[in-house]
Amino acid sequence: MTIRQLSEHMIDQIAAGEVVERPASVVKELVENALDAGARRISIVTAGGGKSLLRVSDDGCGIPAEELPLAVRRHCTSKLADSLHDIATLGFRGEALPSIGSVARLSIRSRPANAADAAEIRVENGVLQGPRPAALSQGTVVEVRDLFYSIPARLKFLKGERAESGAITDVVRRIALAFPAVRFELTGEDRTPTVYEAASDPLARIADVIGQDFADNALELDALREGVGLTGFAGLPNFNRGNALYQFFYVNGRPVRDKMLLSAMRGAYMDAMARDRHAVAALFLTIDPRDVDVNVHPAKADVRFRDPGLVRGLVVGAIRARLADGGLRSTTSGAEAMLAAFRPATTTQKLDFGSNAPHDRPEPRPTGYTPATSPFRPLGNTAHGLSSPGPMGGMPPLAPSARVGEQAAETTDETFPLGAARAQIDKAFIVAETSDSLVIVDQHAAHERLVYEALKTALHDRPLPAQMLLIPEIVDLPEADVDRLMDAAETLQRFGLCLERFGPGAIAVREVPAMLGQVDATQLVRDLADELAGSDTTDGLKARIDHVAATMACHGSVRSGRALRADEMNALLREMERTPGSGQCNHGRPTYIELRKVDIERLFGRR
């Protein structure tokens, strides 16, 4: 078999297989080019899911007519000098336009600000036509028609129009989040128009893209560690999704899907969210371009950090610190669900107190009735010898399961964040009143979280007790895994796991954490080795210990069905206010729901 030089057209088609996976890939490359050109208004038009038409228009700096032929030649770019270690633009390879031109019908019209006329070139089946004069104001218009028309086999692997349109929308959403000062418009006959107006406030753009509900339930992040900056917004633990599609990561403005950052998100919410739920976040990392390699993926979707441990620690630490410092906040979705559950009475409903509804018949008046003790006495009427009304304003006495006690009004203050306990419902829920809201607390979930946090503090503030094995367990592992475990041996020792090297390809387990009881030491070590290889962390062992603490907290906390005194309920509320993360239990469920008084008034038509 003879070795021969491939044609330029074949080389472009091979490159297109890496860069142009689907219509959304084309949109990504063209929009990034527009942003690198300094555009402030970008318009995207699609048809047929992007397979028949993609048009991207911008008001950027434009391309001079004499440089247009270079724009569609491989490895011709204005964004890269002589080094790959200082990349400050989204694109830099110079492969996108020639790759697109080799598999579609491509036309480019452009006019710089100081040019008298616009120019246009066309590329079809890899053949360049032009440049020639054209009509256009300042900026550039790139039009791609009949994607993969010259490679029918690739066309067959594309999904339906709706799926491809959805992928394009997702690409535009992710880019729009990172550039709030740019106006994006996405239209076409295959979609509903979407417009993201330019905004000076990043949170306004986040509300447009992700939703106002996220903006209402997010905590702002601003952290710096060893030259690496982190800004953005992370959702409250109770505001979560069933997948990770609502986690947006950016490195120097570049949208990325990085496994290490996904792992950092899981670690940050590890003990505040159920395992099958995912946080919502938009995180923006700023790092020296020399400390991150963006040239590891043809589509620039993945990056490689010089110090991944530093970046991971920054993300995990910043989110955890913000959740701890953010104070008590309940998600608005809980209150909205409660409001939706209420159904005001209508005039068509009749209250039947007849013989068919004996349970609704009023109780007979007791024989010892006196006006002074009547629960229905007039308010504030003391002129006729009636006693003054109690704190409940003349309402009937509460049932025993909902009674707080007379000392509640004397020992509590509505100015606390969670207010003053007013009642206990069904021996499971505490009803509290603040100055402007009504708070309902799940007593078991709340106390479970308090006990769990106390156990974690007691466990991790000092080395954990270890149980020595009578006969050390020998675990055979690849030499690379042994090296990684030995590098982490000091950290593992703090958690009660004592490891020693046993030859080049084995580990001797001499002690295991006493909290774990009977544990499969071999499987534990193998799991830790896999975790270190994948994410360079030992969170798996910490997670196991935290799981034991969570189980102990669940069984040692106040159970539903236990009647609490007023001082016990208020003590629980005060402890919740002092404990970080008390807004959700160990399983990710909310511990309390807050209903604003203005919402209650709205239910009764007062607003």
Side-chain angles (χ1 to χ4, degrees), residues 413-488:
D413 190 345
E414 295 178 5
T415 60
F416 284 111
L418 291 180
R422 295 303 186 206
Q424 184 186 26
I425 301 175
D426 200 28
K427 298 182 181 179
F429 302 99
I430 299 171
V431 179
E433 182 184 10
T434 71
S435 58
D436 63 348
S437 65
L438 182 72
V439 178
I440 302 177
V441 179
D442 183 337
Q443 67 186 40
H444 172 66
H447 194 246
E448 180 181 356
R449 185 71 187 190
L450 301 182
V451 175
Y452 175 55
E453 290 295 334
L455 280 173
K456 280 204 310 179
T457 301
L459 289 173
H460 298 312
D461 282 354
R462 61 180 184 275
L464 294 181
Q467 176 181 346
M468 181 176 294
L469 300 180
L470 185 61
I471 301 176
E473 190 84 22
I474 308 300
V475 184
D476 293 323
L477 293 168
E479 190 169 351
D481 287 345
V482 174
D483 292 338
R484 281 188 285 264
L485 285 168
M486 287 296 97
D487 291 340

Side-chain angles (χ1 to χ4, degrees), residues 8-13 15-16 30 33 63-79 93-110 119-132 140-144:
E8 287 295 323
H9 180 57
M10 181 63 69
I11 293 173
D12 287 341
Q13 287 190 330
L30 298 182
N33 283 344
I63 306 172
E66 63 274 12
E67 295 181 9
L68 278 175
L70 287 177
V72 292
R73 290 185 58 184
R74 285 172 53 78
H75 306 310
C76 293
T77 179
S78 61
K79 308 170 187 178
R93 281 202 179 107
E95 288 184 323
L97 291 178
S99 298
I100 295 169
S102 68
V103 295
R105 295 183 172 92
L106 171 68
S107 70
I108 305 175
R109 282 179 292 154
S110 189
E120 179 183 23
I121 61 172
R122 293 180 180 273
V123 180
E124 186 169 338
N125 204 24
V127 179
L128 173 65
Q129 302 173 14
R132 59 191 178 191
T140 303
V141 177
V142 182
E143 188 171 280
V144 179

